[in-house]
Amino acid sequence: MKITKKIITKIEGEATLKLHKNQNIIEFAEIEFWQYRGIEDFLKNRHYNDASVINPRVCGICGHSHLIATAEVIENALKIKITKKAKILREITVGLEIIQNHIKWFYLTLFPSIKDIDYFKALEFSRDIAKIIALIAGQFPHNSYAIAGGITSDLTNLEIIKIKNFLLKMFERYQEIMNIEGYSKDLEILFEDIPKNIGKSLNKFLVLGNNLFFRANGEIKFVNEEKTSSFNKNALYNDKFYEVGPLARNLKNPLINKIYEEHKDSVYTRIFARLYEVNLIFEYLIKEIDKIDINEKNFIKPRNKNGKGKISIEAPRGSLIHEIEIENEKIKKYNIIVPTQFNLANGNKQNLSPAQAALINEDEKYADFIFKCFDICAICVSH
Amino acid sequence: MLDVQKVKQRIAELRKLPGIASKPLSEILEENGFTRRDFLKWSGTMAVALGLPASFAPVVAEAAEVSDRLPVIWLHLAECTGCSESLLRTDAPTIDNLIFNYINLEYHDTIMAAAGWQAEQNFEEAVKKFKGRYILCVEGGVPTKDNGDFLTIGPEAETGLEKVRRTAKDAKAIISVGTCSSFGGIQAAYPNPTGAVGVHKVVNKQVINVPGCPPSDRNIVGTIMYVILFGQLPAVDNFNRPKFAYGLRIHDLCERRGHFDAGEFVEEFGSQEAMNGFCLYKVGCKGPYTFNNCSRERFNQHTSWPVQAGHGCIGCSEPDFWDSMAPYEEPLANHKFESVSADATADKVGITILTIAGVAIAAHAAISAIKNPKE
């Protein structure tokens, strides 16, 4: 048996993959992350609102999900109910972040690991999506428009109409990348050189967030963390590993389910679910935006000063958990569990994480691709 | 210093060097739907942004055309990748961005084609081959505690600290992109568990800081253009920030400035005042203490910026802002310095922020408070 060390780059940071092999076949894989920043430590003793400025900096690519999760966990702790208008606008910005993330992941991270592609079209698409977020939130990446109690921006009816038109136009443009029937030319091109059925994993799925149209199939209280030999912490559910992310949360969609029946939880199904999810999010947001009542309040001032909260939202890579304890408006404790901690956990041979299970029994030459299918975010892990 | 002839001479010399681009910039721009006229317009605005006389516009265009001759090495340290995200992806493809892609980027692990071991090898080769000639751009803070063990990179598990020191040694110019590499950034917030600092603290060379969380692409490309134009670093303020970008306060050109002068303030988010677009000073805007050009340049292709979306400036281009500007939703004048973190930075706040102007601003806001009593 031979062990080789592989450095996985271009994944928003860096991961180390130690492959145990027999010939070229992977028998076991160790996953390590060697960065640490200590974001949760900075939050202690600060005013709870500081968390909505600090937490987006956990990650430059999915920071907006961290912002919304922060606002929601404080609202959960202080028992604040925000208006429907604020809720819908937050759904729009989180949904759009997921969309631009998937497109960049497909064209900038995944595709180039197999073959060359002109990714300019994808960049332009993401840029225009980011512009819609900026219309609502002021800037992308990194903004602070969502705070506990609601949002700070005050949109006019004209702006809402503008945003809706933007959404409709982008939805139409997306049909060129993957249409509503599930056909994608670029996906076919990608799989010309690579088998569809590799990378089968645990076949166990977990959804904890209830935002957008996603529905949880588990409860946050059963989630626990365990330390590993590197800076990563594993996230488990009832002491077992589960796959989180677009495939897990869209399994009930008839089209995705059909692909799943045929290819099980392979790389193909995982990629298909991600690309198709974009269509579903567009459809949902276009329906939701009509429900905005412009006369509703943007913000309701929190009155409570103490409380504990724990929430989860569905972020681009899966279920994201934020937990807080507030005492006299100050943060006593804060904990963040990111989706990559579930999917890219470093388990042992008896208890494999989704990415480890997907790598085992596969040819070493596909390791990089299988790994990247989970859309790893080393930066989030290194919070 | 502003000698057009000298700059022209320099560009002529650069032109003689081999470039890496497969085709000239003019062709790349044309393919992406930009005309020669657009490009010259860009040169004009870039010249103005750099604080140069308008007569420099054609020279700026020429400099952009030879920008593939100067090798750039881009390092990622402790950070969130938001700077690259903002620059390389979200704002693409503006002319700034195309030029950024045209620059001779010898090493940048997010956008280069090579990955893993291959990427590492490219890095070593570039450092050797372009010794003394390359521009080093660093994104992310440098963890220094425990000899920098909180961040190791590459197959040899080299610490970020070693890597940046080694790469800086033979660099022609060093540019810190973003607040993390400029001043340590979020990693360096109290209690700074990894001992993160800005690049200038660990190398003994001059470093140009282009802070912001994230900074605008205009400021990053502008700084690199300046180095190409003059072969030297731009004029800087006392925090080594280029004056052309960080010369004015956010407050000076803010769209809500008129409301500040008139004493019209937002006292609570979601209020009628907030809907009227009044000044955000009393809900924590740090625009009066922050030097940057956001109110002029904005983000996402000039679409918007945080103040337009109703949240105050958080002061992200100032040193130690994570501690000194907090709480972010309260005016600095109310800063009570009760936490340990605040104590640690109180001295610095005293020197850098609460200047006479700062005191005057707080006084102005206080007087207006009497005019518009709170609740």
Side-chain angles (χ1 to χ4, degrees), chain A residues 5 9-10 12 14 34 36-37 42 46 49 57 60 104 120 127 130 138-140 144 147 152-153 299 330, chain B residues 80-81 85 90 92-93 109 112 116 150 154 186-187 213 269 300-301 304-306 309 311 322-323 329 338:
Chain A
K5 193 161 121 180
T9 55
K10 303 177 84 174
E12 315 305 324
E14 197 177 280
W34 291 109
Y36 171 76
R37 289 179 293 158
F42 313 147
R46 287 177 181 259
N49 270 341
R57 272 75 184 183
K104 284 184 203 160
F120 232 76
R127 176 202 63 186
Q139 181 183 357
F140 187 83
S144 314
I147 46 170
T152 63
S153 49
F299 176 79
K330 293 247 165 85
Chain B
C80 75
T81 69
E85 203 51 50
T90 308
D109 70 3
M112 66 197 291
F150 286 101
I186 180 70
Q187 293 76 219
C213 192
F269 291 119
N300 303 95
Q301 296 189 298
S304 186
W305 64 301
H311 193 283
W322 288 110
D323 293 323
E329 271 95 7
E338 49 190 32

Side-chain angles (χ1 to χ4, degrees), chain B residues 2-11 56:
Chain B
L2 293 178
D3 185 343
V4 182
Q5 282 316 316
K6 241 188 194 163
V7 175
K8 278 193 170 157
Q9 216 172 12
R10 188 180 148 68
I11 291 171
F56 264 76

